[in-house]
Amino acid sequence: MSTATPAGKTTATPTDDRKRAKAKKSMAIKVAIIAIVTLAIYFLPVPEGVDPRGMHMTAIFVGTILGLILQPLPTASVALIGLAVAMITGTMNVKDEALQGFSSSSIWLIVAAFFIADGFLITGLGRRIALIFVRMLGKSSLGLSYGMAITDLILAPATPSNTARAGGVVYPIIKSLATVNDSHPESDESRKRLGSYLSLTSVQVNTITSAMFVTAMAGNPIAVGFASDAGVEISWGTWAIAALVPGLVALVTMPWVMSKVYAPTVKKTPEAPSQAAQQLHEMGKMSSKEIIMLVTFLLLLVLWISGSALGVDATAAAFVGIAILLCTKVLTWKDMAANSGAWSTLIFFSVLVGMATHLNDLGVIGWIGDTAAAAVGGFSWPLALLILGLVYFYVHYFFASNTAQIVAMYAVFLGTAIAAGAPAILAALVLGFIGNLIGGLTHYASGPAGVIYGSGYVTTSEWFRVGFIASVVNIIIWGVVGTAWWMVLGYV
């Protein structure tokens, strides 16, 4: 609160001063923690087989990741500070090492897909798709959740920002449906009518759709890049086919499971289809820009799926899609320039991938992998992969971003699994899928989780309880059904 002066100016109240002081103290504590951890690692002895700069790079990398977790500054700012420290200390030279991440085709695929996703939002095609499925399946709360799940699945291949998909397309529809059914976050009785169930289910569904396509979550192409560094090549089609059966089974199962463990009090929603039909009527026929967006999206799917056979790189295909949208004015440069998320992602990922690549070049990743492999060396590779997978899944309680965990841990865990004897392609895919399924574990686990938690429909205690149950369901489905499918594909 602040008070107005006679001159029309505002003066801070004691409450404002206390808040600012508390914020400064919190910032100071976070910075101190990051600095202490970074310096402690920086001066550790260099292990045998690791480049002398190895521990310095490890310290800066860990400090940067810790900064991403504690968030004393925005993500891109933290990454740039880490890069500056690496350059000024000589840990990364400017010419060959510091900026190498900015040339990664995987990162540019993510950036390109951000712009393609803009097309769904700007043209209204994403909203139209959601309303169509509400009209078809929306007579019950369970039907509504399946409608949202199908919408998410359709949009997923071209939406690397799972936050944009969940928050920009799906959640506004959920909010509207909840409001119409008198379900508001202000009271337990009201929010549990419908809003809580649809909201939390949408997050769990989002983790599954994100796991089904390389381009459905920003961290997936990074995982593919790390796998390639380890000698494992994963195409867009390889990932999608491997995820197809367990993903579809999980999508069918999860809304039903959520209806049992987190049941809404409103089971029937007979008005929803007519409301969706009315909104579709108000939208009118598909505009020319929507049609262009749809055709471009279908073309991209064809190129991504058959790219290896046609000799078309996934990133090249994405830029062809952008070119079409620009030429037809579905997108403008102004739209692209205004997408701060895409440009922040470019900076954030490029810096971290460059650091992670440098760690590998310096021998740090190999040393950590060998050390970890020794810890599970006495186990058979299936048991070793199971242990590594469970640790990789539940360590996410300590992370506030799927991508931060992928950058920090994917390469190490993959190297450890391969060293333990696991088939390389299987280990790379399993860890890749897990990197998405962890997104609903807590209310801070991912961007979509933050959107839904901020809505007020789900309490913290509910989230931890239901999030854990959902994680067990996903582990069982992807572990059992997935293993059977991967045996058919010859990966096991």
Side-chain angles (χ1 to χ4, degrees), residues 460-483:
T460 303
S461 59
E462 288 172 342
W463 203 300
F464 274 88
R465 177 180 66 85
V466 180
F468 178 76
I469 294 172
S471 74
V472 173
V473 172
N474 269 325
I475 288 171
I476 292 173
I477 292 174
W478 288 78
V480 176
V481 177
T483 298

Side-chain angles (χ1 to χ4, degrees), residues 39-52:
L39 290 172
I41 299 174
Y42 192 91
F43 292 107
L44 284 176
V46 180
E48 184 178 351
V50 175
D51 186 282

Side-chain angles (χ1 to χ4, degrees), residues 50-226:
V50 175
D51 186 282
R53 294 182 295 165
M55 295 315 294
H56 296 172
M57 189 68 253
T58 302
I60 296 168
F61 182 73
V62 171
T64 303
I65 294 296
L66 194 56
L68 297 177
I69 295 172
L70 297 179
Q71 288 283 291
L73 292 170
T75 296
S77 300
V78 171
L80 286 174
I81 291 171
L83 182 63
V85 173
M87 290 190 291
I88 199 66
T89 58
T91 306
M92 300 179 83
N93 70 59
V94 178
K95 183 177 180 180
D96 302 319
E97 299 166 346
L99 303 178
Q100 62 181 318
F102 287 87
S103 65
S104 169
S105 62
S106 296
I107 294 171
W108 282 103
L109 173 59
I110 299 169
V111 175
F114 264 95
F115 299 136
I116 294 167
D118 272 351
F120 279 95
L121 297 176
I122 292 171
T123 63
L125 180 60
R127 182 168 179 267
R128 184 182 295 276
I129 292 171
L131 290 172
I132 288 172
F133 286 111
V134 171
R135 184 180 63 184
M136 293 170 56
L137 303 170
K139 291 184 177 180
S140 67
S141 56
L142 184 59
L144 287 172
S145 67
Y146 280 120
M148 296 299 97
I150 296 172
T151 300
D152 202 317
L153 177 64
I154 291 175
L155 298 178
T159 318
S161 172
N162 52 345
T163 305
R165 195 165 71 246
V169 178
V170 176
Y171 178 69
I173 302 296
I174 288 175
K175 178 67 174 178
S176 176
L177 292 168
T179 300
V180 167
N181 285 275
D182 195 27
S183 180
H184 309 280
E186 284 75 23
S187 70
D188 286 348
E189 189 277 332
S190 179
R191 66 182 179 83
K192 289 182 178 180
R193 285 177 60 81
L194 185 63
S196 296
Y197 165 71
L198 290 180
S199 297
L200 194 49
T201 301
S202 72
V203 172
Q204 300 303 334
V205 163
N206 184 271
T207 68
I208 298 166
T209 58
S210 297
M212 294 181 69
F213 308 98
V214 169
T215 46
M217 199 276 285
N220 291 344
I222 305 303
V224 169
F226 286 149

Side-chain angles (χ1 to χ4, degrees), residues 153-396:
L153 177 64
I154 291 175
L155 298 178
T159 318
S161 172
N162 52 345
T163 305
R165 195 165 71 246
V169 178
V170 176
Y171 178 69
I173 302 296
I174 288 175
K175 178 67 174 178
S176 176
L177 292 168
T179 300
V180 167
N181 285 275
D182 195 27
S183 180
H184 309 280
E186 284 75 23
S187 70
D188 286 348
E189 189 277 332
S190 179
R191 66 182 179 83
K192 289 182 178 180
R193 285 177 60 81
L194 185 63
S196 296
Y197 165 71
L198 290 180
S199 297
L200 194 49
T201 301
S202 72
V203 172
Q204 300 303 334
V205 163
N206 184 271
T207 68
I208 298 166
T209 58
S210 297
M212 294 181 69
F213 308 98
V214 169
T215 46
M217 199 276 285
N220 291 344
I222 305 303
V224 169
F226 286 149
S228 179
D229 293 340
V232 186
E233 298 300 328
I234 303 174
S235 69
W236 194 95
T238 298
W239 183 300
I241 292 171
L244 178 64
V245 173
L248 290 178
V249 172
L251 278 179
V252 171
T253 304
M254 189 60 72
W256 178 82
V257 170
M258 295 293 287
S259 73
K260 300 302 179 183
V261 301
Y262 196 62
T265 56
V266 172
K267 300 292 194 284
K268 301 296 181 182
T269 55
E271 303 87 359
S274 60
Q275 293 163 356
Q278 176 61 32
Q279 292 183 52
L280 283 168
H281 177 72
E282 293 171 357
M283 291 183 73
K285 294 181 179 180
M286 286 184 67
S287 66
S288 59
K289 290 186 176 182
E290 284 182 89
I291 294 172
I292 293 170
M293 185 66 236
L294 178 60
V295 172
T296 303
F297 175 53
L298 294 175
L299 173 63
L300 284 171
L301 287 182
V302 171
L303 292 176
W304 281 334
I305 292 170
S306 57
S308 56
L310 297 175
V312 178
D313 181 80
T315 305
F319 273 89
V320 167
I322 292 174
I324 294 172
L325 297 178
L326 285 171
C327 289
T328 55
K329 297 187 178 181
V330 172
L331 285 180
T332 66
W333 173 248
K334 185 177 181 180
D335 297 325
M336 295 171 63
N339 191 331
S340 59
W343 301 116
S344 293
T345 296
L346 172 63
I347 294 173
F348 160 53
F349 279 172
S350 296
V351 171
L352 290 187
V353 168
M355 286 184 176
T357 301
H358 195 45
L359 280 172
N360 189 53
D361 294 340
L362 295 175
V364 176
I365 298 297
W367 171 72
I368 295 175
D370 291 341
T371 303
V376 295
F379 302 119
S380 62
W381 74 257
L383 181 57
L385 183 58
L386 175 62
I387 293 171
L388 290 169
L390 289 174
V391 172
Y392 190 67
F393 200 115
Y394 289 110
V395 76
H396 195 64

